[in-house]
Amino acid sequence: MTAPIETTGSPEAQPEAVLVGADKGQIEGRSLGQIAWTRFKKDKVAVAGGVVVILLVLLALLARPIQALFGLDPNAFNQDLIDPNTSLPSGDWGGMSADHPLGVEPKFGRDIATRILEGSWVSLVVAFGATILSNTIGTVLGVIAGYYGGRTDAIISRLMDTFLAFPLLLFAIAISATLQGGAFGLEGLPLHISVLIFIIGFFNWPYLGRIVRGQTLALREREFVDASRGMGAKGPYILFRELLPNLVGPIIVYSTLLIPTNILFEASLSFLGVGIQPPQASWGGMLSEAVNFYKVDPQFMIVPGLAIFVTVLAFNLLGDGLRDALDPRSGR
C-alpha cells in the first residue's frame, strides 16, 4: 500500500501554470500588428525618426497653403537686401533676420526658408511617386517569379539582371535632357516631375523584385499555401490573397529605405541641371546654385544640405526601426 502524497504550502497556493488574472479576463491575444507596434515603441531613435518624417510630410502637404496664408513667394526678388558691390546678402549669416530666418540667396535675394518649404513637396512627391511605381512593378514580377518558378522565373530574373546593368545615372541624364522641352502633352513642372518619377521608379524595381522573389520562394512551400492548393485555389488567388499579405512587412521596410535614396537621386539630377528646372525651387537645384557662392556665403549651401540630410536620416532611422519591429528574429 502506497503512502498518500503530501502537499506543501498553504491550501490557497495555486500551480505555477495558473496565470495571474486569467479568471478576471485580463489576458487577451495580440495581433502581429500590435506586437510590431509594441516592439517599435521601444526603439526611441526610430520613434524620433518617425515623428520627423510625419512633420516633413505634413510640411510638404501644407507648403502651398502656408505660402498663401502668409503671403510668401519663393520666387520674389529682394534686391534691397543684396549688396550691389558684391551681389551677396547684406548683414551677417547670409542676411538672416526676423523676416528671413534662414537668410536670402545671393544675387537675387530670394528667401531661403520659403524656397526650402517649396522644394520639400517637390522632393517628396518625386520620392513617393517613384517608390510606388518601383514597388508595384517589383512586387508583382517578384511574386510571380518566385511562385511559378521554372522558365517564368528565369525570364524575369534575367530581366532584373538587365535592368541592374543599366548605368542609371547616365541613362537618367540622357532621358531627362531629351524631354526637357515637352512630351506626352506635358510641359514645365508637371513634365519634369513625371519624367523623374518614371526614370527613378521604373529602373529601381529589380531591387525589391529580388527581395520579394526570395521571400516568395520560401513562402510557397508553407502549409497554408499547400492547403489553398488542396482546396482548389488557383494561382492568382494564392498570389494576391495568400502570399502578398505575408510580404507586406518586407515591402514596407524596403519602401522606407528606398524613399531617402530616391530623394538623393532627385537632388542629384536637379544638381546636375537635368531634374527640376528653375525658377521652381528644389533642394538639389539650390545646392547647384550655391556652388558658386559657398566660399563667401556658406549659409546658402548649408541650409538645403541640412534639409536633405535631416530628411534622409529620418527615413533611414524609421526604416531601421520598422525592420527590427517586423522581424520576429530580432533580439529587441
Side-chain angles (χ1 to χ4, degrees):
M1 188 174 187
T2 59
I5 300 177
E6 296 183 0
T7 59
T8 59
S10 60
E12 294 81 6
Q14 296 182 358
E16 293 182 0
V18 177
L19 299 178
V20 177
D23 57 338
K24 300 178 181 179
Q26 297 178 356
I27 297 178
E28 59 182 19
R30 294 186 300 171
S31 65
L32 294 178
Q34 292 174 323
I35 295 174
W37 172 243
T38 301
R39 293 162 61 87
F40 180 77
K41 289 191 297 184
K42 295 179 182 179
D43 190 344
K44 303 303 180 184
V45 176
V47 171
V51 171
V52 174
V53 167
I54 293 174
L55 293 177
L56 289 171
V57 172
L58 290 176
L59 191 65
L61 291 175
L62 299 176
R64 289 296 176 86
I66 291 174
Q67 293 176 30
L69 179 63
F70 293 98
L72 304 175
D73 185 357
N75 297 318
F77 291 175
N78 298 286
Q79 295 292 346
D80 56 314
L81 301 177
I82 301 298
D83 187 337
N85 298 320
T86 61
S87 298
L88 297 177
S90 303
D92 298 328
W93 299 100
M96 293 177 60
S97 64
D99 294 331
H100 306 282
L102 297 180
V104 296
E105 290 183 345
K107 194 174 180 180
F108 299 117
R110 293 177 295 190
D111 182 64
I112 294 179
T114 305
R115 292 185 65 78
I116 289 292
L117 181 64
E118 175 71 8
S120 63
W121 74 264
V122 174
S123 293
L124 291 184
V125 164
V126 172
F128 275 93
T131 300
I132 292 173
L133 177 60
S134 60
N135 281 6
T136 301
I137 299 174
T139 299
V140 172
L141 293 183
V143 74
I144 290 175
Y147 178 74
Y148 288 105
R151 180 175 297 179
T152 301
D153 184 20
I155 294 174
I156 295 178
S157 296
R158 298 297 76 76
L159 186 62
M160 292 180 185
D161 295 336
T162 302
F163 272 83
L164 291 173
F166 269 100
L168 181 55
L169 182 59
L170 296 179
F171 200 69
I173 292 174
I175 294 180
S176 299
T178 303
L179 300 178
Q180 288 299 325
F184 313 112
L186 300 173
E187 60 182 11
L189 183 60
L191 173 65
H192 300 149
I193 291 179
S194 301
V195 169
L196 288 176
I197 290 176
F198 172 76
I199 293 174
I200 299 174
F202 185 71
F203 290 95
N204 273 334
W205 69 265
Y207 298 99
L208 179 63
R210 283 189 166 183
I211 295 174
V212 171
R213 174 185 174 274
Q215 294 288 331
T216 304
L217 287 173
L219 289 173
R220 72 177 185 179
E221 306 300 332
R222 299 285 293 274
E223 291 81 1
F224 66 91
V225 177
D226 291 334
S228 296
R229 292 196 194 101
M231 295 176 65
K234 303 299 182 181
Y237 178 89
I238 296 176
L239 288 177
F240 295 102
R241 297 297 298 273
E242 299 290 348
L243 293 177
L244 277 182
N246 289 277
L247 296 170
V248 171
I251 293 173
I252 292 176
V253 172
Y254 182 78
S255 298
T256 56
L257 297 175
L258 181 60
I259 289 173
T261 302
N262 291 341
I263 291 175
L264 289 175
F265 200 91
E266 180 275 324
S268 300
L269 291 178
S270 298
F271 179 83
L272 295 173
V274 293
I276 304 299
Q277 298 298 304
Q280 172 61 42
S282 68
W283 294 346
M286 294 178 68
L287 284 176
S288 178
E289 296 172 1
V291 169
N292 298 323
F293 299 96
Y294 75 95
K295 290 185 179 180
V296 292
D297 187 14
Q299 176 80 3
F300 187 23
M301 176 170 283
I302 290 174
V303 173
L306 279 177
I308 296 174
F309 173 78
V310 171
T311 303
V312 172
L313 179 62
F315 273 103
N316 282 329
L317 293 177
L318 174 62
D320 289 340
L322 288 175
R323 179 187 59 198
D324 294 335
L326 295 172
D327 185 2
R329 294 167 296 182
S330 175
R332 295 188 181 183

